[in-house]
Amino acid sequence: MWRKAKTLSFLSHRPFSSSTPETPNPTLYSFLQPSIFSLNKTTTPLPKTPSQDTKPQPLTQNHIATLETNLHQALITSNTDEAWKSFKTLTANSVFPSKSLTNSLITHLSSLSDIHSLKRAFASVIYIIEKNPDELKFETLVKVLDSMKTANTAAPAFALIRCMFKNRYFVPFGLWGNVVVEITRKNKNVAAFLRVFDECCRIAKDEKLDFMKPDLPACNAALEGCCCELESVSDAENVVETMSVLGIRPDESSFGFLAYLYALKGLEEKIIELENLMGGFGFSNKRVFFSNLISGYVKLGNLEFVSKTILRSLKVEGEGTIFGEETYCEVVKGFLNNGGIKGLATLIIKAQKLEASDVVVDSSVGYGIVNACVKLGLSDKAHSILEEMDVQGGSVGLGVYVPILKAYCKEHRTAEATQLVMEISNLGLQLDVEIYDALIEASMSSQDFPSAFSLFRDMREARIPELKGSYLTIMTGLMENHRPELMAAFLDEVVEDPRIEVGTHDWNSIIHAFCKSGRLEDARRTLRRMIFLQFEPNDQTYLSLINGYVTVEKYFSVLMLWNEVKRKVSSDGQKGVKFDHTLVDAFLYALVKGGFFDAVMQVVEKTQEMKIFVDKWSTPINGTCDDTCGTIPIKYPFGTGFGCGHPVFARYIKCSSGTLQFSTGTGIYTISSIDYPSNTIVLTDPLMSTCSSMQNSGSFILDRTSPFTITSDVIFVLLGCSTTSPVFDADEELCDTGSGSRICRGLYSCKGVTGIGLPQNAPVSTCCVYDSPLGLGSGYALDLPKLQCSSYTSIYGFGDDEGDPMKWKFGISLQYNDSYDTETCKDCEASGGLCGFAGLDQSFACVCKNGANSSNNCLGRGYAWSGTWGLKIQLKMILGGIWLSWMLLFL
């Protein structure tokens, strides 16, 4: 092979193995047929060509000049049809426009993206080559071929090349050869390319035109076609002989294609000869050679030779042999298609004995095979291979396990990942902190909390120094999923680990979560455990407890908290407890509601002692209230803060930084609108799902004692529910299975459904239009963790289009009790004041705009106490009145 031959006469006559028929030499008319351009299957009216017109009228010089001018102007203005019409008229009379105009027209036609214009360009080029090839520039022909490559029209491209050869219009191979090679690779039209290749080689030899000689990439393309497509040994060796005659030196790819073919045909003697020849050419790196041998053996189904080749490559190349991912994927598919898990395990064990002791893990055969399994989506097969290796007494390094672990994380198969981590630990291998963090994060995202805990324990037992990242991931995930009991158990387990910096804020998070979910006894138990472990409660600890107790109206428990805080403040000078306005306000509000006026006086006295001025508590007496909050008008019984509006509503509604807020035991919600004629307000929950945005939601609870009820037109929908959710209990009938299915289908058609991990238009079996057992009257509970649902939404209107969920009105509509208006309040409002309340008995107060307050109206200002001393006077009078009442009872 690659020896010089005397002639190339065989090239133009030798047959090919392909059964593709030879396309006849083209004429201008035959190649205008639509079938040549496979992208356009419709019959397009063909332009008339010069030879189709019978007996054309001769043109005068003036007419020719006019037509050329029209052609030039049409090209400038991109009037393609007019340009083509002028060109046809000229050529029909055997007149050619100027060379520049002709080439400009063809270039313009080639640049257009429609197949019809490309046909015109093709017809023009063929015609010019046949009639007057000197008019055609080389670069114009190349642009036409480029356009054919883009349009994926292989047949016209090869026809154009053959037309060039037939009419001895020789364009240097370097200008068009690579384009034809790309067209061949794209269309697998090997036979047509080989005919062009052979003719080009013949011309280069016979005509002694070196510029027509194919280059090495073209020769390799021909060789690849013979080896990989035609699988013809004779054709491949003919190409090799041609390369030798033309003096084209082969490269590694050339030998690789032959190696593939010889392996596929089982020609071992030729493989040995080929390998020796590579040495003669000075090629020391045989990676491509061995890779192609393996591909050929895999296709042949000779797995024994696949293994031998891999092992031989290690002996020959040592640590320098690194097969590509594609090769390993072929090996894996070849073995697994024949049930060869045992064979792959054996191959890895044998390869380990030949690999250098310091070989990089990513370069090992074991890693290549395992990683290929993962890339093919066969993570379980990869795991089985490693298990089989263990049975055979073999083992691999930690890095080989990493692709499987990453795949399990990506597939959210956290239980399998955790089990694999246990196996790795039993082998004495240790994962790094990044892998642990990734596995734990995947477990928490999948709500596989046991796996996350198990992985964290393994981290601790492995003595990994950095635990903070995974610790925070677990605590944050449990908080977001409303699992304070697991937070408490987890914190109790790790609290004594010196590598984890547990602080008061961690305990506060648990207490806050318990309080928010109404589990106050658990919150109190957590507080006791916290104190026992010598973590000092702070103001945030007590704020959470106060808010929790107020929600369930356990004001006596708040009194007990005050006694505890009072001792701490007086004994250690406020150590650990920030006794500020926020904590003072919380205590005062709860103790006033509970009627513990002695404790209220103690709070007031403590504020004076510590020079804390509770201005916001005195403003209902000597301050003002606002009649708007942001853009929302505020009318009685609502108010913008404590002391404004009716005291019953002040507990739930306040204005904060221009935003009107509504508070319940489950959180703080924004009031988006108030409709006073219908006595309704609309709440917006930032965590509630809508059609455009769905997310994991919190719960929603409306107190039974509140002056609000949910309006009858509100529809609550639970999304992403577990199949074991109690809402699907057939005996309970908590889901509307009638019109509710229409609402579920509408919501699941939204793009936002991907936010809760479901595909758009997912089955609605996880959706429930919820009918609460409590009904829609006073009091309502929507406990998502208990109901095992990911999210909820509330719809209070369909926006005149029930079929388009993007137009639905999302929010919680509440109706409020309107029986609080009194004549005194109306009189106050008529005088320009706003109705509010004052004093610890929450008696009526008319709050005037000038800062003065009255017990009736702003026209006749009555006596009003102000400041902290006013509070003390009122407290003493009230307490005195209560004491006098008790004495009268005992008389």
Side-chain angles (χ1 to χ4, degrees):
M1 289 184 292
W2 281 289
R3 64 183 182 276
K4 290 192 175 181
K6 293 182 179 181
T7 67
L8 281 175
S9 58
F10 72 95
L11 290 175
S12 58
H13 303 290
R14 69 178 176 85
F16 285 93
S17 303
S18 172
S19 59
T20 304
E22 177 78 23
T23 303
N25 288 333
T27 65
L28 171 63
Y29 317 114
S30 65
F31 281 97
L32 284 176
Q33 299 303 314
S35 60
I36 295 298
F37 290 84
S38 57
L39 288 187
N40 188 359
K41 300 299 183 182
T42 59
T43 302
T44 304
L46 300 179
K48 290 184 179 181
T49 61
S51 58
Q52 287 175 308
D53 296 329
T54 59
K55 297 181 180 180
Q57 295 295 323
L59 299 176
T60 65
Q61 288 300 321
N62 289 337
H63 196 185
I64 292 173
T66 301
L67 287 172
E68 287 197 348
T69 302
N70 290 342
L71 174 57
H72 182 258
Q73 188 63 32
L75 288 175
I76 293 175
T77 59
S78 297
N79 189 341
T80 304
D81 289 336
E82 187 63 31
W84 180 249
K85 181 179 178 181
S86 299
F87 179 75
K88 282 201 307 177
T89 304
L90 288 167
T91 53
N93 290 272
S94 300
V95 177
F96 285 93
S98 67
K99 187 173 183 177
S100 61
L101 275 179
T102 300
N103 286 272
S104 295
L105 172 65
I106 297 172
T107 300
H108 170 72
L109 293 171
S110 300
S111 66
L112 302 177
S113 58
D114 64 283
I115 202 71
H116 183 61
S117 297
L118 186 55
K119 288 181 181 180
R120 287 175 169 178
F122 171 76
S124 302
V125 171
I126 295 290
Y127 182 78
I128 293 171
I129 291 175
E130 289 183 347
K131 301 298 182 181
N132 191 5
D134 291 338
E135 291 291 310
L136 186 64
K137 296 179 180 178
F138 288 168
E139 54 265 30
T140 301
L141 181 135
V142 172
K143 288 179 180 178
V144 173
L145 287 173
D146 276 329
S147 298
M148 289 178 175
K149 180 188 71 174
T150 303
N152 197 25
T153 53
F158 289 114
L160 180 54
I161 300 299
R162 288 196 294 272
C163 181
M164 289 165 43
F165 294 160
K166 176 185 175 183
N167 292 278
R168 301 182 57 78
Y169 178 70
F170 299 137
V171 180
F173 184 86
L175 295 178
W176 57 269
N178 289 335
V179 177
V180 175
V181 169
E182 290 183 44
I183 292 174
T184 301
R185 294 187 187 280
K186 191 173 183 179
N187 292 271
K188 305 294 184 182
N189 200 337
V190 177
F193 174 72
L194 288 174
R195 283 188 287 272
V196 169
F197 176 79
D198 280 352
E199 183 65 13
C200 194
C201 292
R202 186 194 64 77
I203 293 170
K205 180 64 178 177
D206 293 351
E207 304 285 343
K208 302 186 185 310
L209 299 174
D210 285 344
F211 64 82
M212 291 296 293
K213 185 172 67 175
D215 56 11
L216 178 60
C219 293
N220 278 341
L223 193 58
E224 181 183 7
C226 294
C227 295
C228 303
E229 298 295 330
L230 303 181
E231 297 179 357
S232 169
V233 175
S234 60
D235 287 341
E237 291 183 346
N238 280 337
V239 173
V240 170
E241 188 72 19
T242 301
M243 293 174 66
S244 177
V245 169
L246 295 177
I248 299 175
R249 177 185 171 87
D251 62 3
E252 290 92 337
S253 297
S254 309
F255 286 100
F257 295 136
L258 288 170
Y260 170 82
L261 180 61
Y262 291 159
L264 179 63
K265 299 297 182 179
L267 303 175
E268 294 303 313
E269 292 182 0
K270 285 185 175 290
I271 292 174
I272 295 172
E273 179 185 350
L274 192 64
E275 190 171 359
N276 292 333
L277 191 59
M278 285 188 69
F281 274 91
F283 295 123
S284 58
N285 188 336
K286 298 180 180 179
R287 172 187 171 184
V288 176
F289 173 77
F290 284 123
S291 296
N292 280 274
L293 274 182
I294 291 169
S295 298
Y297 285 133
V298 168
K299 188 170 184 180
L300 180 63
N302 193 335
L303 300 181
E304 179 184 355
F305 274 56
V306 171
S307 297
K308 286 182 177 180
T309 303
I310 293 175
L311 298 176
R312 187 160 67 90
S313 71
L314 291 174
K315 293 178 183 178
V316 174
E317 298 293 317
E319 62 183 52
T321 297
I322 305 173
F323 291 115
E325 187 177 286
E326 183 179 353
T327 300
Y328 280 118
C329 286
E330 288 181 328
V331 172
V332 166
K333 286 190 285 188
F335 273 87
L336 294 183
N337 287 339
N338 294 278
I341 288 179
K342 184 175 181 180
L344 287 171
T346 303
L347 173 60
I348 295 173
I349 292 174
K350 290 181 178 179
Q352 286 177 331
K353 296 177 182 178
L354 298 174
E355 291 171 335
S357 58
D358 58 346
V359 66
V360 179
V361 173
D362 293 1
S363 302
S364 67
V365 173
Y367 179 89
I369 290 175
V370 169
N371 187 58
C373 288
V374 172
K375 294 294 182 182
L376 294 170
L378 304 172
S379 303
D380 289 335
K381 296 291 185 183
H383 194 177
S384 298
I385 291 170
L386 297 182
E387 289 177 338
E388 177 61 29
M389 287 186 63
D390 187 52
V391 172
Q392 296 183 28
S395 62
V396 293
L398 176 62
V400 179
Y401 287 92
V402 172
I404 307 177
L405 288 172
K406 289 182 177 179
Y408 283 156
C409 283
K410 187 176 181 180
E411 298 165 6
H412 297 286
R413 299 173 60 185
T414 51
E416 290 90 336
T418 304
Q419 179 61 36
L420 185 56
V421 169
M422 299 302 108
E423 295 176 17
I424 294 172
S425 298
N426 292 335
L427 293 173
L429 304 174
Q430 181 175 315
L431 297 170
D432 57 25
V433 66
E434 288 80 10
I435 295 177
Y436 273 116
D437 287 345
L439 292 171
I440 289 175
E441 184 172 355
S443 298
M444 295 304 297
S445 298
S446 303
Q447 298 186 11
D448 184 3
F449 305 134
S451 293
F453 295 155
S454 178
L455 290 167
F456 194 80
R457 292 189 194 100
D458 195 75
M459 286 183 72
R460 295 178 63 201
E461 292 172 2
R463 301 187 181 279
I464 292 178
E466 181 55 52
L467 301 176
K468 185 176 181 180
S470 292
Y471 167 75
L472 292 176
T473 298
I474 292 176
M475 289 292 285
T476 303
L478 294 174
M479 171 70 80
E480 292 175 349
N481 285 279
H482 312 291
R483 300 300 300 270
E485 72 285 355
L486 294 181
M487 293 173 67
F490 177 65
L491 186 59
D492 202 44
E493 181 179 339
V494 303
V495 67
E496 295 182 357
D497 194 320
R499 293 167 294 177
I500 303 173
E501 298 178 1
V502 178
T504 299
H505 62 276
D506 297 293
W507 295 99
N508 285 346
S509 298
I510 301 172
I511 292 172
H512 176 76
F514 274 132
C515 290
K516 190 173 181 180
S517 61
R519 300 169 61 175
L520 297 172
E521 185 54 41
D522 289 328
R524 190 70 186 180
R525 189 181 296 113
T526 303
L527 176 64
R528 291 196 295 268
R529 178 64 175 164
M530 171 185 178
I531 295 173
F532 174 78
L533 293 173
Q534 298 182 350
F535 288 90
E536 194 66 32
N538 59 21
D539 52 303
Q540 293 298 322
T541 313
Y542 293 111
L543 277 174
S544 296
L545 289 168
I546 292 170
N547 291 332
Y549 287 135
V550 168
T551 299
V552 296
E553 300 182 350
K554 291 187 176 182
Y555 302 112
F556 183 77
S557 297
V558 179
L559 177 62
M560 296 297 100
L561 283 181
W562 163 243
N563 291 333
E564 184 177 327
V565 171
K566 179 176 61 176
R567 290 193 300 271
K568 288 180 177 293
V569 172
S570 60
S571 62
D572 57 16
Q574 208 176 337
K575 180 182 178 182
V577 179
K578 184 180 179 182
F579 196 63
D580 59 3
H581 288 85
T582 304
L583 191 58
V584 169
D585 291 348
F587 270 124
L588 286 174
Y589 178 81
L591 294 172
V592 168
K593 291 289 291 182
F596 300 110
F597 301 115
D598 283 337
V600 173
M601 285 298 301
Q602 294 172 9
V603 175
V604 172
E605 290 172 356
K606 182 60 66 176
T607 60
Q608 289 180 324
E609 176 187 331
M610 303 182 69
K611 297 182 179 180
I612 298 174
F613 300 98
V614 285
D615 297 333
K616 65 188 291 185
W617 282 82
S618 59
T619 52
I621 303 171
N622 63 356
T624 60
C625 297
D626 296 321
D627 56 2
T628 60
C629 180
T631 59
I632 300 178
I634 303 301
K635 300 179 182 180
Y636 196 76
F638 303 124
T640 54
F642 192 84
C644 302
H646 195 280
V648 172
F649 289 88
R651 173 184 171 186
Y652 300 94
I653 293 178
K654 70 174 182 179
C655 184
S656 176
S657 301
T659 301
L660 198 60
Q661 296 178 335
F662 183 91
S663 301
T664 72
T666 51
I668 298 176
Y669 308 91
T670 299
I671 298 176
S672 58
S673 64
I674 301 177
D675 185 18
Y676 291 99
S678 63
N679 302 322
T680 58
I681 66 173
V682 176
L683 308 182
T684 301
D685 183 352
L687 295 179
M688 186 180 76
S689 291
T690 64
C691 185
S692 57
S693 173
M694 297 191 188
Q695 57 190 323
N696 291 333
S697 305
S699 300
F700 177 77
I701 295 176
L702 184 64
D703 303 340
R704 287 182 177 274
T705 58
S706 73
F708 298 93
T709 58
I710 297 176
T711 58
S712 58
D713 54 355
V714 170
I715 300 173
F716 282 97
V717 185
L718 305 178
L719 305 171
C721 299
S722 167
T723 54
T724 60
S725 170
V727 297
F728 298 130
D729 187 344
D731 296 330
E732 294 290 339
E733 296 183 355
L734 298 176
C735 295
D736 178 4
T737 56
S739 60
S741 59
R742 172 179 53 80
I743 295 174
C744 285
R745 282 194 301 271
L747 287 171
Y748 275 24
S749 71
C750 299
K751 291 183 179 180
V753 77
T754 58
I756 56 174
L758 295 173
Q760 195 174 3
N761 295 313
V764 297
S765 57
T766 64
C767 175
C768 172
V769 175
Y770 186 54
D771 292 332
S772 171
L774 299 177
L776 294 179
S778 180
Y780 190 82
L782 196 67
D783 189 341
L784 289 191
K786 182 177 179 181
L787 297 175
Q788 300 178 25
C789 298
S790 300
S791 183
Y792 85 93
T793 188
S794 174
I795 305 163
Y796 68 93
F798 292 102
D800 297 327
D801 190 352
E802 295 189 13
D804 185 359
M806 287 297 295
K807 296 181 180 179
W808 294 356
K809 297 179 180 180
F810 294 94
I812 303 172
S813 176
L814 303 179
Q815 191 159 32
Y816 60 88
N817 190 336
D818 62 345
S819 62
Y820 294 94
D821 285 335
T822 62
E823 292 300 324
T824 305
C825 179
K826 294 177 182 178
D827 186 34
C828 169
E829 291 177 339
S831 66
L834 294 175
C835 301
F837 57 94
L840 299 177
D841 60 348
Q842 299 180 348
S843 59
F844 176 80
C846 186
V847 184
C848 304
K849 293 181 180 180
N850 59 4
N853 301 281
S854 170
S855 59
N856 44 39
N857 57 56
C858 294
L859 298 177
R861 291 175 53 191
Y863 178 76
W865 296 300
S866 62
T868 304
W869 286 107
L871 271 173
K872 294 180 69 174
I873 296 171
Q874 292 185 58
L875 277 171
K876 291 180 179 180
M877 292 183 64
I878 293 168
L879 293 175
I882 294 173
W883 176 251
L884 180 61
S885 300
W886 284 353
M887 290 182 64
L888 291 173
L889 287 174
F890 285 103
L891 291 177

